[in-house]
Amino acid sequence: MRNMEELVIQALKSAARNEQMKHTVQQSAELYPLLWKAAKRYVTGEKRQEALRIAQDFISKDYQISLEFIGENTKDIAECQKAKEELLQLIEDTGALSFNQTVSFDLSHIGLSVNANLAYTNLQELAQKAQQYGISLMISMEESSKASSIIEVYKKIAMQYPNIGITLQAHLYRTEVDIQQLTQYPGRIRLVKGAFQESDDIAITRSRKLNERYLHFVEQLIEAKHPISIATHDKALILEMEKRRYFQQPNVEIEMLYGVQPTLLQQLKKNGYPCRVYLSYGTEWFLYLCHRIAEYPENLYLAVTDIINPSIIESEDY
């Protein structure tokens, strides 16, 4: 059974990276609306206004929010500019909603897949706007092949704009060194396990060893008094961190994705810990859906149920 689960995970991660498959889904009058029924569990909508309505509801319940306009690997300069303009408007709208929220994005959505200079120039513009509106930016981490470029762009701008944070993946072997370096910069570090399919010489597979590694990194960041977002849905891991009193440290927040483990996040908030909900929107949701299912293969059953009977998707009470 375990081998079958691993095969499903690998297949979904491969599907997520398949540009032809994504294009087919997006262009199909039959597949697109069908899979969108499953994606709606995890994606707030295809328009910014839909995401902002849900964000406002969470803010009214004293959650922090992080908003993402989904997109990556954009190779056309004009499309990179469109993505930047959408993010600028998102920053402005989020700032009007509430002070000190976060906007997240992939650098490959705003130019990194063209060249690093374009990504840096667009990031500067976003950082200036975000600083004006009291908004933090969070740079997402992508495949390991992009990690060095992403970190170099971040290092280039981080001292000038302390409102910019960066995401690190615990499963990559390189993260041990990256954390030591990046604690010298002021931005928040968002620590995830890592969703991308990587070779064994680059990353650790999901295992007890990876959980121990995750705990080790969290402890390092807490001891360094560095701002950290603990971004995992692993209940056993979360309970262990609660037992160790990590969530009571002033530099720590908990972050979870919209639609994933809402009851657990609600309980953590009731326990008095700072909690953030990650809300995504846009039409580029195919990869996002594949990763949500791959993280927990049991979500495949939810996806099938949502497709067959979408009316049972409930608005979870966070």
Side-chain angles (χ1 to χ4, degrees):
M1 184 66 181
R2 181 65 184 171
N3 288 339
M4 179 60 70
E5 182 177 294
E6 289 173 356
L7 287 172
V8 170
I9 291 171
Q10 289 173 10
L12 285 164
K13 288 185 176 182
S14 296
R17 311 314 302 170
N18 189 314
E19 287 294 324
Q20 182 57 49
M21 188 176 293
K22 183 175 78 170
H23 179 76
T24 299
V25 168
Q26 289 175 327
Q27 299 302 313
S28 172
E30 293 80 24
L31 278 177
Y32 189 94
L34 197 65
L35 291 177
W36 173 239
K37 292 178 182 179
K40 284 172 71 174
R41 181 177 290 274
Y42 311 108
V43 179
T44 60
E46 296 190 320
K47 303 290 186 182
R48 181 185 348 116
Q49 291 73 18
E50 295 171 297
L52 289 168
R53 280 196 297 270
I54 292 174
Q56 193 165 23
D57 182 54
F58 277 110
I59 291 168
S60 71
K61 297 175 181 176
D62 295 325
Y63 287 93
Q64 298 292 101
I65 54 102
S66 184
L67 281 158
E68 178 200 17
F69 172 49
I70 303 174
E72 58 160 9
N73 296 330
T74 307
K75 298 180 175 66
D76 181 83
I77 293 177
E79 290 301 315
C80 292
Q81 295 304 107
K82 284 182 184 179
K84 180 199 70 176
E85 292 301 324
E86 174 65 24
L87 287 165
L88 286 170
Q89 190 60 57
L90 178 60
I91 289 166
E92 190 171 321
D93 291 349
T94 304
L97 270 185
S98 175
F99 183 76
N100 198 27
Q101 305 300 334
T102 298
V103 167
S104 299
F105 52 90
D106 288 327
L107 282 182
S108 71
H109 198 188
I110 59 168
L112 192 67
S113 294
V114 179
N115 61 66
N117 286 335
L118 179 61
Y120 177 74
T121 300
N122 285 336
L123 179 58
Q124 274 188 312
E125 195 171 340
L126 295 176
Q128 289 167 4
K129 174 76 80 169
Q131 196 171 67
Q132 178 185 346
Y133 282 90
I135 297 295
S136 297
L137 300 181
M138 179 57 70
I139 298 171
S140 298
M141 187 49 69
E142 306 182 48
E143 305 97 319
S144 61
S145 59
K146 300 176 191 169
S148 291
S149 297
I150 291 169
I151 288 172
E152 286 309 307
V153 170
Y154 172 73
K155 286 178 176 178
K156 190 175 176 182
I157 202 170
M159 286 302 188
Q160 186 181 358
Y161 293 100
N163 60 321
I164 303 178
I166 190 165
T167 307
L168 293 179
Q169 300 176 94
H171 74 156
L172 296 180
Y173 288 117
R174 63 169 293 158
T175 300
E176 183 80 53
V177 173
D178 289 336
I179 281 184
Q180 292 172 12
Q181 293 179 357
L182 294 177
T183 49
Q184 307 306 310
Y185 295 80
R188 181 175 295 275
I189 291 176
R190 180 175 184 263
L191 186 65
V192 301
K193 281 188 177 182
F196 296 100
Q197 189 170 4
E198 305 284 0
S199 61
D200 291 343
D201 61 324
I202 290 173
I204 300 170
T205 57
R206 299 236 162 176
S207 60
R208 181 176 177 179
K209 182 179 179 182
L210 178 56
N211 280 6
E212 290 170 353
R213 184 176 173 84
Y214 192 97
L215 291 168
H216 167 65
F217 289 150
V218 170
E219 193 164 318
Q220 269 189 305
L221 290 165
I222 288 173
E223 288 178 356
K225 295 181 171 53
H226 194 90
I228 173 176
S229 287
I230 294 175
T232 180
H233 307 98
D234 188 322
K235 187 173 182 179
L237 193 54
I238 286 169
L239 292 175
E240 177 61 29
M241 287 188 281
E242 185 175 29
K243 180 181 174 182
R244 297 186 185 192
R245 302 173 68 84
Y246 288 169
F247 303 146
Q248 297 180 18
Q249 304 306 312
N251 56 320
V252 171
E253 68 175 20
I254 305 159
E255 183 173 353
M256 290 191 186
L257 301 171
Y258 175 68
V260 182
Q261 296 276 29
T263 305
L264 178 57
L265 189 62
Q266 181 189 43
Q267 185 57 55
L268 291 167
K269 184 174 176 295
K270 283 182 178 178
N271 291 348
Y273 309 132
C275 293
R276 185 179 298 275
V277 184
Y278 193 99
L279 307 170
S280 60
Y281 74 95
T283 58
E284 298 282 330
W285 45 258
F286 177 70
L287 176 148
Y288 194 83
L289 173 62
C290 289
H291 278 164
R292 298 297 73 77
I293 298 172
E295 284 172 344
Y296 296 96
E298 294 85 355
N299 287 346
L300 184 59
Y301 302 120
L302 284 177
V304 172
T305 304
D306 293 340
I307 289 169
I308 295 170
N309 188 5
S311 64
I312 72 166
I313 300 180
E314 299 177 357
S315 177
E316 300 276 4
D317 185 16
Y318 277 80

